[in-house]
Amino acid sequence: AQTVTQSQPEMSVQEAETVTLSCTYDTSENNYYLFWYKQPPSRQMILVIRQEAYKQQNATENRFSVNFQKAAKSFSLKISDSQLGDTAMYFCAFMSRRGGGADGLTFGKGTHLIIQP
Amino acid sequence: DADVTQTPRNRITKTGKRIMLECSQTKGHDRMYWYRQDPGLGLRLIYYSFDVKDINKGEISDGYSVSRQAQAKFSLSLESAIPNQTALYFCATSDPDRGGYGYTFGSGTRLTVV
């Protein structure tokens, strides 16, 4: 079984600053995906970014980028030029590629990010 | 219309009552999942299904049951609700051919057991 750990329950930064959210995971598998999901107050689950474990290049999506360290089992999310709309819960998640992800997603406990004006 | 629809959006029920949370999807996905979200605990898997005859327990299935009435419908039941089942419940579907991009979540049902 795999575990996902987010050690920052809450973070607060000023608008336009850069913030990094931490995530570590534990697995014996070698082929998997990692994700960051955003959950705003509307409670919708929104996929922010995905990383494939066999790709060394870090994924980026506009202001969002990850630092994926496979050997260290670390997967942090960097948000550049933070905006008020980035205020949300952020969940790190793991998905094995076995069976096309049949066992579902394993989530961390979440980080509540607050962007201050 | 939403791809994954959960009803009701919010529900308050009394201890001991039977309650059903419903999920329907228009994605055409075979795989469907029920997750529970608690503050400080993230989302945890309750049950999942690959078709109407294939139901699997997740991490926290005790106290819950499910029914896959059709490819498009997957219901979660609490036979006798208790206060510690107060949580936000999410239904999700997935397309295994899309490598994780295929997950679609419903908008959640907030259940309060008093």
Side-chain angles (χ1 to χ4, degrees), chain A residues 90-108:
Chain A
Y90 287 82
F91 293 101
C92 179
F94 172 100
M95 187 186 88
S96 168
R97 291 190 69 179
R98 257 186 313 111
D103 295 339
L105 298 168
T106 301
F107 289 88

Side-chain angles (χ1 to χ4, degrees), chain B residues 85-96:
Chain B
Q85 291 178 313
T86 292
L88 181 57
Y89 290 85
F90 282 100
C91 176
T93 72
S94 79
D95 177 356

